[in-house]
Amino acid sequence: VQLVESGGGSVQAGGSLRLSCAASEYCYSMGWFRQAPGKEREVVAIDYGRGGSAKYAQSVTGRFTISQDNAQNTVYLQMNSLKPEDTAMYYCAASRGWSGTDPSGWNYWGQGTQVTVSS
């Protein structure tokens, strides 16, 4: 499975960005993780079964929304009310089966897209 991400960039605090990740085939679990310098990779949001259910990190709940375009095998992460602490490299991840919040449980990864939020 190949994952191609796009949509990162620089924005001021309070702004919005939308990340996209196109998968080469259907995967049951599609997620977004992020990794800031000097920190471990952490889950941001996961979508199961093309919108069947979703899971969010507490730090982004109410600000970020994960969604999928079923016809295109594309997962999106809409990020609103961005904060400087959201600054990180964001990675798309996919698994054919169920995967949880531990990054080691995911099978496929995108190349990453940088998100920088300035105060």
Side-chain angles (χ1 to χ4, degrees):
V1 178
Q2 295 182 334
L3 304 174
V4 179
E5 300 152 346
S6 60
S10 297
V11 65
Q12 289 191 328
S16 298
L17 284 173
R18 189 175 81 154
L19 306 182
S20 300
C21 172
S24 58
E25 61 184 83
Y26 169 74
C27 288
Y28 177 73
S29 301
M30 297 288 292
W32 289 95
F33 290 75
R34 67 187 181 187
Q35 188 167 17
K39 295 188 177 181
E40 294 185 350
R41 192 169 296 190
E42 63 177 6
V43 66
V44 176
I46 301 170
D47 186 81
Y48 296 107
R50 285 179 171 172
S53 64
K55 182 181 298 186
Y56 294 91
Q58 188 173 1
S59 60
V60 307
T61 298
R63 300 188 298 122
F64 291 10
T65 303
I66 189 169
S67 62
Q68 289 203 49
D69 179 335
N70 296 340
Q72 310 239 351
N73 289 331
T74 300
V75 63
Y76 303 97
L77 184 68
Q78 178 66 43
M79 304 184 293
N80 298 328
S81 302
L82 282 160
K83 305 175 180 180
E85 51 264 43
D86 294 318
T87 296
M89 185 71 78
Y90 283 70
Y91 296 92
C92 177
S95 292
R96 290 194 174 94
W98 185 92
S99 289
T101 59
D102 185 346
S104 67
W106 291 75
N107 300 127
Y108 307 101
W109 292 88
Q111 77 282 2
T113 186
Q114 179 68 37
V115 171
T116 302
V117 184
S118 58
S119 58

